[in-house]
Amino acid sequence: MSDAATDFPWGAATGVGSMPGGDAREAAKTVTGSFIGSGGSAGDFPFLAELPARGPGADMIGRTAGLLVEMYARVEPSGWRLGDRPGRDTKRAVSWLGEDLDALEEFTQGYEGPLKVQAVGPWTLAAALELRGGEAALGDPGACRDLAGSLAEGLRGHLADVRRRVPGAKVVLQLDEPSLTAVLRGQIRTASGYRTHRAVDRQVVEGALRDVLAVHDGPVVVHSCAPDVPFALLRRAGVAGVSFDFSLLTERDEDAIGEAVESGTKLLAGVVGGVDGPLSDPAGSVMGVRTLWRRLGLHPGTLAESVVITPSCGLAGASPAYARAALAHCVKAARSLADNPE
């Protein structure tokens, strides 16, 4: 999969996925205005915005549940629960995704270059979606397999729709897996809250991820803004890139990151805050990335081709003004990294 990371025309900066507010056109305008320069540039890397403030069906779980094939979910007081037929919650999710795609299509006329779309990955989905009895699908291996298969089919259709709407796009699929580490460690709580679900075998986790990755003939990124991202497992599963909150890295992550970079895996480094706060100068935002590179003994000249700059997580909790400033700051920080890698 390293070829997908090295030969693909990656942009220099992008967003994670979510944006504030509920206006699809305004979000698409902000995203494309931030990442598509007049006539295009090497920094172009727009994404399909998600607007969870609209309510159930626009949240990350509901949005992805709307993509499932022959599996349906509805909102219960405890969360999203699988059911027998599509209800109003599923229909709402499909409708909002359609609005977002319409807006993206409007503002990407003639665009050619990388374009990122996001969906929840199979393990975070299994940890969040309840079966009829109220327990997470994660506790039922058969349900996990069915869910991964349904997700893969849904993504196949979704990606085809995106390519049809933006024919010049080189599509990157991002799978959001914030619960992945907790799944691997047996830290997902049961419905009672008194126990946790058994840890899922790493080979089973890898296999399901590999099956979902296989539906896309372009690069797939896995995103997690949780601590202890399993870089080595994701690399073995075949991802082209890993998106993470840079501030949560520890020394024990460094060897796995170095191996990932040397194998051609792209790092989508979240170095800009996801909620309102002061923004440092762009060079200061990427100082930690430069320092990590030196510590790993990697050549500074590979920095710009190995790293994409992003916010630390989604921007749904930010103000619209800060979200615009944060995306613009990512572009400036990426430029600083390219111009002054050392």
Side-chain angles (χ1 to χ4, degrees), residues 155-234:
L155 286 172
R156 197 188 306 277
H158 177 49
L159 293 165
D161 188 21
V162 172
R163 286 191 289 263
R164 179 182 60 76
R165 290 169 176 268
V166 193
K170 308 293 188 294
V171 180
V172 176
L173 171 62
Q174 175 180 301
L175 296 177
D176 293 320
E177 284 282 16
S179 299
L180 182 58
T181 299
V183 166
L184 289 165
R185 292 180 176 176
Q187 295 171 337
I188 300 295
R189 293 203 169 276
T190 58
S192 69
Y194 296 122
R195 296 186 302 110
T196 57
H197 288 280
R198 187 178 305 171
V200 180
D201 182 87
R202 298 179 83 86
Q203 288 187 321
V204 173
V205 169
E206 275 184 49
L209 284 170
R210 199 174 288 115
D211 289 346
V212 176
L213 263 60
V215 306
H216 184 40
D217 58 4
V220 180
V221 168
V222 169
H223 166 73
S224 174
C225 48
D228 300 320
V229 175
F231 287 93
L233 181 150
L234 294 173

Side-chain angles (χ1 to χ4, degrees), residues 110-328:
Y111 173 68
E112 295 184 358
L115 171 68
K116 183 164 67 68
V117 299
Q118 306 83 216
V120 176
W123 294 107
T124 296
L125 203 60
L129 285 178
E130 300 173 357
L131 300 176
R132 287 178 184 81
E135 285 293 353
L138 184 66
D140 183 331
C144 289
R145 285 192 295 272
D146 291 345
L147 201 52
S150 176
L151 174 63
E153 282 306 303
L155 286 172
R156 197 188 306 277
H158 177 49
L159 293 165
D161 188 21
V162 172
R163 286 191 289 263
R164 179 182 60 76
R165 290 169 176 268
V166 193
K170 308 293 188 294
V171 180
V172 176
L173 171 62
Q174 175 180 301
L175 296 177
D176 293 320
E177 284 282 16
S179 299
L180 182 58
T181 299
V183 166
L184 289 165
R185 292 180 176 176
Q187 295 171 337
I188 300 295
R189 293 203 169 276
T190 58
S192 69
Y194 296 122
R195 296 186 302 110
T196 57
H197 288 280
R198 187 178 305 171
V200 180
D201 182 87
R202 298 179 83 86
Q203 288 187 321
V204 173
V205 169
E206 275 184 49
L209 284 170
R210 199 174 288 115
D211 289 346
V212 176
L213 263 60
V215 306
H216 184 40
D217 58 4
V220 180
V221 168
V222 169
H223 166 73
S224 174
C225 48
D228 300 320
V229 175
F231 287 93
L233 181 150
L234 294 173
R235 182 169 58 85
R236 289 194 302 271
V239 304
V242 182
S243 171
F244 57 96
D245 180 343
F246 191 83
S247 71
L248 297 179
L249 291 184
T250 65
E251 284 187 23
R252 65 176 176 268
D253 295 313
E254 292 186 1
D255 286 345
I257 289 175
E259 290 170 5
V261 171
E262 289 176 347
S263 71
T265 305
K266 207 81 166 180
L267 302 182
L268 283 75
V271 299
V272 177
V275 294
D276 290 41
L279 293 168
S280 69
D281 68 287
S285 293
V286 291
M287 188 181 302
V289 181
R290 293 192 185 97
T291 301
L292 173 64
W293 232 245
R294 284 196 296 271
R295 231 174 16 242
L296 293 174
L298 297 169
H299 191 280
T302 65
L303 252 176
E305 66 191 44
S306 299
V307 176
V308 177
I309 298 300
T310 76
S312 57
C313 208
L315 293 167
S319 66
Y322 178 82
R324 286 192 296 272
L327 295 181

